[in-house]
């Protein structure tokens, strides 16, 4: 099946707040990759990672990336 990707990339030296746009929050996102997390919480190869926060607010660590995946229904 096809999937949508939501990639949040942060190249700065300090933590940074990001917001998932409201119209995208309705999609069934699951975390796929979080480069700031330690194993086993960094990669979810079967697409069963945590849901994003309901308010869409995420704090990314410096020089990190979070990727969410949602099925294309």
């Amino acid at each position: 099946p096809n999937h949508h990707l939501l990639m949040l990339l942060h190249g700065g030296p300090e933590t940074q707040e990001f917001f998932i746009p409201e119209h995208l929050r309705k999609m069934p996102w699951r975390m796929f990759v979080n480069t700031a997390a330690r194993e086993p919480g960094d990669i979810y190869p079967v697409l069963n990672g945590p849901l994003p926060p309901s308010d869409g607010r995420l704090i990314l660590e410096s020089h990190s990336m979070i990727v969410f995946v949602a099925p294309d229904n």
Side-chain angles (χ1 to χ4, degrees):
N2 294 323
H3 290 82
H4 297 276
L5 291 178
L6 175 62
M7 301 176 73
L8 305 170
L9 304 143
H10 177 42
E14 305 290 331
T15 58
Q16 179 66 45
E17 184 176 52
F18 283 75
F19 286 94
I20 297 173
E22 189 170 343
H23 68 280
L24 293 178
R25 293 182 205 161
K26 296 176 178 81
M27 296 181 71
W29 298 109
R30 299 302 288 226
M31 186 179 291
F32 178 50
V33 174
N34 181 351
T35 62
R38 293 185 177 189
E39 289 183 37
D42 58 340
I43 300 173
Y44 298 89
V46 294
L47 309 180
N48 64 343
L51 299 169
S54 60
D55 65 359
R57 181 179 178 266
L58 295 154
I59 303 295
L60 270 69
E61 298 296 325
S62 64
H63 308 288
S64 67
M65 173 181 71
I66 295 178
V67 179
F68 289 98
V69 177
D72 184 17
N73 294 333

Coordinates of all heavy atoms in Angstrom, one line a residue:
P1 N 0.8 -1.2 0.0 CA 0.0 0.0 0.0 C 0.9 1.3 0.0 O 2.0 1.2 0.4 CB -0.8 -0.1 1.3 CG 0.0 -1.0 2.2 CD 0.7 -1.9 1.2
N2 N 0.3 2.3 -0.5 CA 1.0 3.6 -0.5 C 0.9 4.3 0.9 O -0.1 4.1 1.6 CB 0.4 4.5 -1.5 CG 0.6 4.0 -2.9 OD1 1.7 3.5 -3.2 ND2 -0.3 4.2 -3.8
H3 N 1.8 5.1 1.2 CA 1.9 5.8 2.5 C 2.2 7.3 2.3 O 2.9 7.6 1.3 CB 2.9 5.2 3.4 CG 2.5 3.9 3.9 ND1 2.7 2.7 3.2 CD2 1.9 3.5 5.1 CE1 2.3 1.7 3.9 NE2 1.8 2.1 5.0
H4 N 1.8 8.1 3.2 CA 2.2 9.5 3.3 C 3.4 9.6 4.3 O 3.4 8.9 5.3 CB 1.1 10.4 3.8 CG -0.1 10.4 2.9 ND1 -0.2 11.2 1.8 CD2 -1.3 9.7 2.9 CE1 -1.4 11.0 1.2 NE2 -2.0 10.1 1.9
L5 N 4.3 10.5 4.0 CA 5.4 10.8 5.0 C 5.3 12.2 5.4 O 5.1 13.1 4.7 CB 6.8 10.6 4.3 CG 7.2 9.2 3.9 CD1 8.5 9.2 3.2 CD2 7.2 8.3 5.1
L6 N 5.6 12.4 6.7 CA 5.7 13.7 7.3 C 7.1 13.7 8.0 O 7.3 13.0 8.9 CB 4.6 13.9 8.3 CG 4.6 15.2 9.1 CD1 4.5 16.4 8.2 CD2 3.6 15.3 10.2
M7 N 7.9 14.5 7.4 CA 9.3 14.6 7.9 C 9.6 15.9 8.5 O 9.4 17.0 7.9 CB 10.3 14.4 6.7 CG 10.1 13.0 6.0 SD 11.1 12.8 4.6 CE 12.7 12.6 5.4
L8 N 10.0 15.9 9.8 CA 10.4 17.1 10.5 C 11.9 17.0 10.7 O 12.4 16.1 11.4 CB 9.7 17.2 11.9 CG 8.2 17.1 11.8 CD1 7.6 16.9 13.2 CD2 7.6 18.3 11.1
L9 N 12.6 18.0 10.1 CA 14.1 18.0 10.2 C 14.5 19.3 10.9 O 14.0 20.4 10.6 CB 14.6 18.1 8.7 CG 14.2 16.9 7.9 CD1 14.0 17.3 6.5 CD2 15.2 15.8 8.0
H10 N 15.5 19.1 11.8 CA 16.0 20.2 12.6 C 17.5 20.2 12.6 O 18.1 19.3 13.2 CB 15.4 20.2 14.0 CG 15.9 21.3 14.9 ND1 16.1 22.6 14.5 CD2 16.4 21.3 16.2 CE1 16.6 23.3 15.5 NE2 16.8 22.5 16.5
G11 N 18.1 21.2 12.0 CA 19.6 21.2 11.9 C 20.2 22.2 12.8 O 21.4 22.4 12.8
G12 N 19.4 22.9 13.7 CA 19.9 23.9 14.6 C 20.6 23.3 15.8 O 20.5 22.2 16.1
P13 N 21.3 24.2 16.5 CA 22.1 23.7 17.7 C 21.3 23.6 19.0 O 21.7 23.1 20.0 CB 23.2 24.8 17.8 CG 22.5 26.1 17.3 CD 21.6 25.6 16.2
E14 N 20.1 24.2 19.0 CA 19.2 24.2 20.2 C 17.9 23.4 19.9 O 17.6 23.2 18.8 CB 18.8 25.6 20.6 CG 20.0 26.5 20.8 CD 20.8 26.2 22.1 OE1 20.2 25.6 23.0 OE2 22.0 26.4 22.1
T15 N 17.2 23.0 21.0 CA 15.9 22.3 20.8 C 15.0 23.3 20.1 O 15.1 24.6 20.2 CB 15.3 21.9 22.1 OG1 15.2 23.0 22.9 CG2 16.1 20.8 22.7
Q16 N 14.0 22.8 19.3 CA 13.1 23.7 18.5 C 11.7 23.1 18.6 O 11.5 21.9 18.4 CB 13.6 23.8 17.1 CG 12.8 24.6 16.2 CD 12.8 26.1 16.5 OE1 13.8 26.6 16.8 NE2 11.6 26.7 16.6
E17 N 10.8 24.0 18.7 CA 9.4 23.6 18.7 C 8.9 23.5 17.3 O 9.1 24.4 16.5 CB 8.5 24.6 19.5 CG 7.1 24.3 19.6 CD 6.4 25.3 20.5 OE1 6.5 26.5 20.3 OE2 5.7 24.8 21.5
F18 N 8.1 22.5 16.9 CA 7.5 22.3 15.6 C 6.0 22.0 15.8 O 5.6 21.5 16.9 CB 8.1 21.1 14.9 CG 9.5 21.3 14.3 CD1 10.6 21.4 15.1 CD2 9.6 21.5 12.9 CE1 11.8 21.6 14.5 CE2 10.8 21.7 12.3 CZ 12.0 21.8 13.1
F19 N 5.2 22.4 14.8 CA 3.8 22.1 14.9 C 3.4 21.4 13.6 O 3.7 21.8 12.5 CB 3.0 23.4 15.0 CG 3.0 24.0 16.4 CD1 4.0 25.0 16.6 CD2 2.2 23.6 17.4 CE1 4.0 25.6 17.9 CE2 2.2 24.2 18.6 CZ 3.1 25.2 18.9
I20 N 2.6 20.3 13.8 CA 2.0 19.6 12.6 C 0.8 20.5 12.2 O 0.0 20.8 13.1 CB 1.6 18.2 13.0 CG1 2.8 17.4 13.4 CG2 0.8 17.6 11.8 CD1 2.5 16.0 13.9
P21 N 0.7 20.9 11.0 CA -0.4 21.7 10.5 C -1.7 21.0 10.9 O -1.9 19.8 10.8 CB -0.2 21.8 9.0 CG 1.2 21.6 8.8 CD 1.6 20.6 9.9
E22 N -2.7 21.8 11.3 CA -4.0 21.3 11.8 C -4.7 20.4 10.8 O -5.2 19.3 11.2 CB -4.9 22.5 12.1 CG -6.2 22.0 12.8 CD -7.0 23.1 13.4 OE1 -6.4 24.2 13.6 OE2 -8.1 22.9 13.7
H23 N -4.6 20.7 9.5 CA -5.3 19.9 8.5 C -4.7 18.5 8.3 O -5.3 17.6 7.8 CB -5.4 20.6 7.2 CG -4.1 20.8 6.5 ND1 -3.3 21.8 6.8 CD2 -3.6 20.1 5.5 CE1 -2.2 21.7 6.0 NE2 -2.4 20.7 5.2
L24 N -3.4 18.3 8.8 CA -2.7 17.0 8.7 C -2.9 16.2 10.0 O -2.7 15.0 10.0 CB -1.2 17.2 8.5 CG -0.8 17.8 7.1 CD1 0.7 18.0 7.0 CD2 -1.3 17.0 6.0
R25 N -3.4 16.8 11.1 CA -3.5 16.1 12.3 C -4.6 15.0 12.3 O -4.6 14.1 13.1 CB -3.8 17.1 13.5 CG -2.7 18.0 13.8 CD -3.0 18.9 14.9 NE -2.2 20.1 14.8 CZ -2.4 21.3 15.4 NH1 -3.5 21.4 16.1 NH2 -1.7 22.3 15.2
K26 N -5.5 15.1 11.3 CA -6.6 14.1 11.2 C -6.1 12.8 10.6 O -6.8 11.8 10.7 CB -7.7 14.7 10.4 CG -8.4 15.9 11.0 CD -9.4 16.5 10.1 CE -10.1 17.7 10.7 NZ -9.4 19.0 10.6
M27 N -4.9 12.8 10.1 CA -4.4 11.6 9.4 C -3.9 10.6 10.5 O -3.5 11.1 11.6 CB -3.3 11.9 8.4 CG -3.9 12.8 7.3 SD -2.6 13.1 6.0 CE -2.4 11.5 5.3
P28 N -4.0 9.3 10.3 CA -3.5 8.3 11.2 C -2.0 8.1 11.3 O -1.5 7.1 11.0 CB -4.3 7.1 10.8 CG -4.3 7.2 9.3 CD -4.6 8.7 9.1
W29 N -1.3 9.2 11.7 CA 0.2 9.1 11.7 C 0.7 8.2 12.8 O 0.1 8.1 13.9 CB 0.7 10.5 12.0 CG 0.4 11.5 11.0 CD1 -0.5 12.6 11.1 CD2 0.9 11.6 9.6 NE1 -0.5 13.3 9.9 CE2 0.3 12.7 9.0 CE3 1.8 10.9 8.9 CZ2 0.6 13.1 7.7 CZ3 2.1 11.2 7.6 CH2 1.5 12.3 7.0
R30 N 1.8 7.5 12.5 CA 2.5 6.8 13.5 C 4.0 7.1 13.3 O 4.5 7.3 12.2 CB 2.4 5.2 13.3 CG 0.9 4.8 13.4 CD 0.3 5.0 14.7 NE 0.9 4.2 15.8 CZ 0.2 3.6 16.7 NH1 -1.1 3.7 16.7 NH2 0.8 2.9 17.6
M31 N 4.7 7.2 14.4 CA 6.2 7.5 14.3 C 6.9 6.3 13.6 O 6.6 5.2 13.9 CB 6.8 7.8 15.7 CG 8.2 8.2 15.6 SD 8.9 8.5 17.2 CE 8.0 10.0 17.7
F32 N 7.8 6.7 12.7 CA 8.6 5.7 12.0 C 10.0 5.8 12.4 O 10.7 4.8 12.7 CB 8.4 5.9 10.5 CG 9.2 5.0 9.6 CD1 9.2 3.6 9.8 CD2 10.0 5.5 8.6 CE1 10.0 2.8 9.0 CE2 10.8 4.7 7.8 CZ 10.7 3.3 8.0
V33 N 10.6 7.0 12.5 CA 12.0 7.3 12.9 C 12.0 8.5 13.8 O 11.4 9.5 13.6 CB 12.8 7.5 11.6 CG1 14.3 7.9 12.0 CG2 12.9 6.3 10.7
N34 N 12.9 8.4 14.8 CA 13.2 9.5 15.7 C 14.7 9.4 16.0 O 15.1 8.6 16.8 CB 12.4 9.5 17.0 CG 12.7 10.7 17.9 OD1 13.7 11.5 17.6 ND2 12.0 10.8 18.9
T35 N 15.5 10.2 15.3 CA 17.0 10.1 15.4 C 17.5 10.5 16.8 O 18.6 10.2 17.1 CB 17.7 10.9 14.3 OG1 17.4 12.3 14.5 CG2 17.3 10.4 12.9
A36 N 16.7 11.2 17.6 CA 17.1 11.7 18.9 C 16.8 10.6 20.0 O 17.3 10.7 21.1 CB 16.4 13.0 19.3
A37 N 16.0 9.6 19.7 CA 15.7 8.6 20.6 C 16.7 7.5 20.7 O 17.4 7.2 19.7 CB 14.3 8.0 20.3
R38 N 16.7 6.8 21.8 CA 17.6 5.6 22.0 C 16.9 4.4 21.6 O 15.7 4.3 21.6 CB 18.1 5.5 23.4 CG 19.0 6.6 23.8 CD 19.5 6.4 25.2 NE 20.4 7.5 25.5 CZ 21.1 7.5 26.6 NH1 21.1 6.5 27.5 NH2 21.9 8.5 26.8
E39 N 17.6 3.3 21.2 CA 17.1 2.0 20.9 C 16.3 1.5 22.1 O 16.7 1.8 23.2 CB 18.1 1.0 20.6 CG 18.8 1.3 19.2 CD 19.9 0.2 18.9 OE1 19.6 -1.0 19.3 OE2 20.9 0.5 18.4
P40 N 15.2 0.9 21.9 CA 14.5 0.5 20.7 C 13.5 1.5 20.2 O 12.7 1.2 19.3 CB 13.8 -0.8 21.1 CG 13.4 -0.6 22.5 CD 14.5 0.3 23.1
G41 N 13.5 2.7 20.8 CA 12.5 3.7 20.5 C 12.9 4.6 19.3 O 12.3 5.7 19.2
D42 N 13.9 4.3 18.5 CA 14.3 5.2 17.5 C 13.8 4.8 16.1 O 13.6 5.7 15.3 CB 15.9 5.2 17.4 CG 16.5 3.9 17.2 OD1 15.9 2.8 17.5 OD2 17.7 3.8 16.8
I43 N 13.5 3.6 15.9 CA 13.0 3.1 14.6 C 11.8 2.1 14.8 O 12.0 1.2 15.6 CB 14.1 2.5 13.7 CG1 15.2 3.5 13.4 CG2 13.5 1.9 12.4 CD1 16.4 2.9 12.7
Y44 N 10.8 2.3 14.1 CA 9.6 1.4 14.2 C 9.3 0.8 12.8 O 8.5 1.3 12.0 CB 8.4 2.2 14.7 CG 8.6 2.7 16.1 CD1 9.1 4.0 16.3 CD2 8.2 2.0 17.2 CE1 9.3 4.5 17.5 CE2 8.4 2.5 18.5 CZ 9.0 3.7 18.6 OH 9.2 4.3 19.9
P45 N 10.0 -0.3 12.4 CA 10.0 -0.8 11.1 C 8.6 -1.3 10.6 O 8.3 -1.4 9.5 CB 11.1 -1.9 11.0 CG 11.3 -2.2 12.4 CD 11.0 -1.0 13.3
V46 N 7.8 -1.7 11.6 CA 6.5 -2.2 11.2 C 5.4 -1.1 11.4 O 4.2 -1.4 11.4 CB 6.1 -3.5 12.0 CG1 7.0 -4.7 11.6 CG2 6.1 -3.3 13.5
L47 N 5.8 0.1 11.4 CA 4.9 1.3 11.4 C 3.9 1.3 12.6 O 2.8 1.6 12.5 CB 4.2 1.4 10.1 CG 5.0 1.3 8.9 CD1 4.2 1.4 7.6 CD2 6.1 2.4 8.9
N48 N 4.5 0.9 13.8 CA 3.6 0.8 15.0 C 4.1 1.8 16.1 O 3.9 1.5 17.2 CB 3.6 -0.6 15.5 CG 4.9 -1.1 16.0 OD1 6.0 -0.5 15.6 ND2 5.0 -2.2 16.7
G49 N 4.8 2.8 15.7 CA 5.4 3.8 16.6 C 4.3 4.6 17.3 O 3.1 4.5 17.0
P50 N 4.7 5.5 18.2 CA 3.7 6.3 18.9 C 3.0 7.3 18.0 O 3.5 7.7 17.0 CB 4.6 7.1 19.9 CG 6.0 6.5 19.9 CD 6.1 5.7 18.7
L51 N 1.8 7.7 18.5 CA 1.1 8.7 17.8 C 1.7 10.1 18.0 O 2.3 10.3 19.1 CB -0.4 8.7 18.3 CG -1.2 7.4 18.1 CD1 -2.5 7.5 18.9 CD2 -1.5 7.2 16.6
P52 N 1.5 11.0 17.1 CA 2.0 12.4 17.5 C 1.1 13.0 18.5 O -0.1 12.5 18.7 CB 1.9 13.1 16.1 CG 0.9 12.3 15.3 CD 1.0 10.9 15.8
P53 N 1.5 14.0 19.2 CA 0.6 14.6 20.2 C -0.6 15.2 19.5 O -0.6 15.7 18.4 CB 1.5 15.8 20.7 CG 2.9 15.4 20.4 CD 2.8 14.6 19.2
S54 N -1.7 15.1 20.2 CA -3.0 15.6 19.6 C -3.0 17.1 19.3 O -3.7 17.5 18.4 CB -4.2 15.2 20.5 OG -4.0 15.9 21.8
D55 N -2.2 17.9 20.0 CA -2.2 19.3 19.7 C -1.2 19.6 18.6 O -1.0 20.7 18.2 CB -1.8 20.1 20.9 CG -0.5 19.8 21.5 OD1 0.3 19.0 21.0 OD2 -0.1 20.5 22.5
G56 N -0.5 18.6 18.1 CA 0.5 18.7 17.0 C 1.8 19.4 17.4 O 2.6 19.6 16.5
R57 N 2.0 19.6 18.6 CA 3.2 20.3 19.1 C 4.3 19.2 19.4 O 4.1 18.3 20.2 CB 2.9 21.1 20.4 CG 4.1 21.8 20.9 CD 3.7 22.6 22.2 NE 4.8 23.3 22.8 CZ 5.6 22.8 23.7 NH1 5.3 21.6 24.3 NH2 6.6 23.5 24.2
L58 N 5.5 19.4 18.8 CA 6.6 18.5 19.0 C 7.8 19.4 19.3 O 8.0 20.4 18.7 CB 6.9 17.7 17.7 CG 5.8 16.7 17.3 CD1 5.9 16.5 15.8 CD2 6.0 15.4 18.1
I59 N 8.7 18.9 20.2 CA 10.0 19.5 20.5 C 11.1 18.6 19.9 O 11.2 17.4 20.3 CB 10.2 19.7 22.0 CG1 9.1 20.5 22.6 CG2 11.5 20.3 22.2 CD1 9.0 21.9 22.1
L60 N 11.8 19.1 18.9 CA 12.9 18.3 18.3 C 14.2 18.8 19.0 O 14.5 19.9 19.2 CB 13.0 18.5 16.8 CG 12.2 17.6 16.0 CD1 10.7 17.8 16.2 CD2 12.6 17.6 14.6
E61 N 15.0 17.8 19.3 CA 16.4 18.0 19.8 C 17.2 18.6 18.7 O 16.9 18.4 17.5 CB 17.0 16.7 20.3 CG 16.2 16.1 21.5 CD 16.2 16.9 22.7 OE1 17.2 17.6 23.0 OE2 15.2 17.0 23.4
S62 N 18.3 19.2 19.0 CA 19.2 19.7 18.0 C 19.7 18.6 17.1 O 19.9 17.5 17.5 CB 20.4 20.4 18.7 OG 21.2 19.4 19.4
H63 N 19.8 19.0 15.8 CA 20.4 18.1 14.8 C 19.6 16.7 14.7 O 20.2 15.7 14.8 CB 21.9 17.8 14.9 CG 22.6 19.1 15.1 ND1 22.8 20.0 14.0 CD2 23.2 19.7 16.1 CE1 23.5 21.0 14.4 NE2 23.8 20.9 15.7
S64 N 18.3 16.8 14.7 CA 17.5 15.5 14.7 C 16.4 15.6 13.7 O 16.2 16.6 13.0 CB 16.9 15.3 16.1 OG 15.9 16.3 16.4
M65 N 15.8 14.4 13.5 CA 14.7 14.2 12.5 C 13.7 13.3 13.1 O 14.0 12.3 13.8 CB 15.3 13.6 11.3 CG 14.3 13.3 10.2 SD 15.0 12.5 8.7 CE 15.5 10.9 9.3
I66 N 12.4 13.6 12.9 CA 11.3 12.7 13.2 C 10.5 12.5 11.9 O 10.2 13.4 11.2 CB 10.4 13.3 14.3 CG1 11.2 13.4 15.6 CG2 9.2 12.4 14.5 CD1 10.4 14.0 16.8
V67 N 10.2 11.2 11.7 CA 9.4 10.9 10.5 C 8.2 10.1 11.0 O 8.3 9.2 11.7 CB 10.2 10.0 9.5 CG1 9.4 9.6 8.3 CG2 11.5 10.7 9.1
F68 N 7.0 10.6 10.5 CA 5.7 9.9 10.7 C 5.3 9.4 9.4 O 5.5 9.9 8.3 CB 4.7 10.9 11.3 CG 5.0 11.4 12.7 CD1 5.6 12.6 12.9 CD2 4.6 10.6 13.8 CE1 5.8 13.0 14.2 CE2 4.8 11.0 15.1 CZ 5.4 12.2 15.3
V69 N 4.5 8.3 9.5 CA 4.0 7.6 8.3 C 2.5 7.4 8.5 O 2.0 7.1 9.6 CB 4.6 6.2 8.1 CG1 4.0 5.5 6.9 CG2 6.1 6.4 7.9
A70 N 1.7 7.6 7.5 CA 0.2 7.4 7.5 C -0.2 6.6 6.2 O 0.3 7.0 5.2 CB -0.5 8.7 7.6
P71 N -1.0 5.6 6.4 CA -1.5 4.9 5.2 C -2.3 5.8 4.3 O -3.0 6.7 4.8 CB -2.3 3.8 5.7 CG -2.7 4.2 7.1 CD -1.6 5.1 7.6
D72 N -2.3 5.6 3.0 CA -3.1 6.3 2.0 C -4.4 5.6 1.9 O -4.4 4.6 1.1 CB -2.3 6.4 0.7 CG -3.0 7.3 -0.3 OD1 -3.9 8.1 0.1 OD2 -2.7 7.2 -1.5
N73 N -5.4 6.1 2.5 CA -6.7 5.4 2.4 C -7.5 5.9 1.3 O -7.6 7.0 1.0 CB -7.5 5.6 3.8 CG -6.7 4.9 4.9 OD1 -6.0 3.9 4.7 ND2 -6.9 5.4 6.1

